[in-house]
Amino acid sequence: HDASSFRSLFWLLCILLVFTYCLSLVLTQGVASYLKDIAESSTIPEEYTDIKDSFGSVWLTMYSLYLSITSGRNWGEFSSLISNAGTIYSVLVCLFVFINLFSVLNIVTGVFVDTAVETAKYDRSIMIDKTNQSKDASLQHLVSLLYRLDKDGDGTISKTEFFMAMKDPDVQEFMDALGINPDNAVEVFLLLDENGDGVIHLQEFIEGMERIRGEAKS
């Protein structure tokens, strides 16, 4: 997503550069004609030097346009200067500033906002994946614990099996890792044995352990 957004931004900047260059050609040509007429006349206006320094070549014009949209210099000053060469050129400068401020810059902002939104979605997706992985790992731990408790391998845990297993240091560590206090063996067994038949079945064990762990965390 980041690569796509920055690719869009790159092409946008390329279009802006081409647009600025083409406009600079038009403005520079107009100013060149104006300066030629001034040179042939007997009076030279006081803005002559400033106009020449700002629009005397294509690169100077491009630099002036760049300053006008980056607050390097007031764009109104450039518009006023080039109006000496013709009102149409002043209008073109105003149009250039308008397009950049209200169109191009908004598009650039949109690109960065889109990048931020996509990044947030990606981060949320990672969080969901981690949560699912954590749940899967927890389920595997619970199944492993069930097999540790089920000594006779019949898929259920009797009271005897449960209380004997709770004395096993490895099982106690397992229970601690799940956030369950091994000292509360009786309470834990009663909570797991939902139907009260004195035997904990696989579904009862997994659902009950998840519920107890959730209560312990809260």
Side-chain angles (χ1 to χ4, degrees):
H1 295 298
D2 289 347
S4 176
S5 297
F6 281 107
R7 193 181 304 115
S8 300
L9 180 60
F10 170 76
W11 286 114
L12 177 63
L13 293 176
C14 288
I15 292 172
L16 175 60
L17 183 62
V18 172
F19 174 59
T20 304
Y21 178 74
C22 293
L23 179 61
S24 296
L25 287 175
V26 175
L27 297 179
T28 303
Q29 185 175 6
V31 169
S33 298
Y34 169 73
L35 294 178
K36 182 179 179 181
D37 294 339
I38 290 297
E40 295 174 353
S41 67
S42 56
T43 57
I44 297 178
E46 57 184 42
E47 300 95 350
Y48 178 85
T49 302
D50 202 3
I51 293 174
K52 188 175 181 180
D53 291 341
S54 300
F55 303 100
S57 69
V58 173
W59 302 116
L60 285 174
T61 302
M62 290 184 69
Y63 180 63
S64 297
L65 292 176
Y66 170 76
L67 292 178
S68 69
I69 62 172
T70 57
S71 300
R73 185 174 174 183
N74 193 313
W75 65 269
E77 295 180 14
F78 288 122
S79 178
S80 178
L81 276 176
I82 204 168
S83 65
N84 290 281
T87 305
I88 182 63
Y89 302 116
S90 177
V91 171
L92 287 175
V93 170
C94 294
L95 185 62
F96 174 80
V97 173
F98 176 82
I99 290 175
N100 278 277
L101 290 181
F102 296 99
S103 299
V104 175
L105 294 184
N106 281 340
I107 294 173
V108 172
T109 301
V111 169
F112 282 106
V113 170
D114 181 65
T115 301
V117 171
E118 292 299 330
T119 301
K121 288 181 180 178
Y122 180 71
D123 291 342
R124 187 161 55 248
S125 176
I126 290 177
M127 288 181 60
I128 293 174
D129 289 341
K130 286 184 177 180
T131 301
N132 291 335
Q133 289 175 5
S134 177
K135 288 181 178 179
D136 292 340
S138 175
L139 180 60
Q140 291 177 0
H141 284 309
L142 291 176
V143 173
S144 298
L145 180 58
L146 174 65
Y147 287 126
R148 291 291 298 272
L149 299 176
D150 183 17
K151 298 298 184 181
D152 57 11
D154 63 353
T156 61
I157 305 171
S158 65
K159 282 185 179 181
T160 303
E161 287 176 327
F162 187 82
F163 292 132
M164 286 182 61
M166 292 298 282
K167 297 177 182 179
D168 185 342
D170 292 337
V171 174
Q172 291 179 355
E173 290 181 5
F174 218 122
M175 300 290 277
D176 282 332
L178 295 172
I180 300 171
N181 189 349
D183 294 334
N184 300 328
V186 176
E187 291 84 349
V188 171
F189 184 86
L190 293 175
L191 287 171
L192 295 176
D193 184 20
E194 292 184 346
N195 58 13
D197 61 355
V199 175
I200 302 173
H201 300 274
L202 174 62
Q203 194 67 24
E204 285 181 325
F205 181 76
I206 293 177
E207 292 179 356
M209 290 293 280
E210 287 283 6
R211 185 174 62 255
I212 294 172
R213 189 179 65 157
E215 292 174 354
K217 286 186 175 181
S218 61

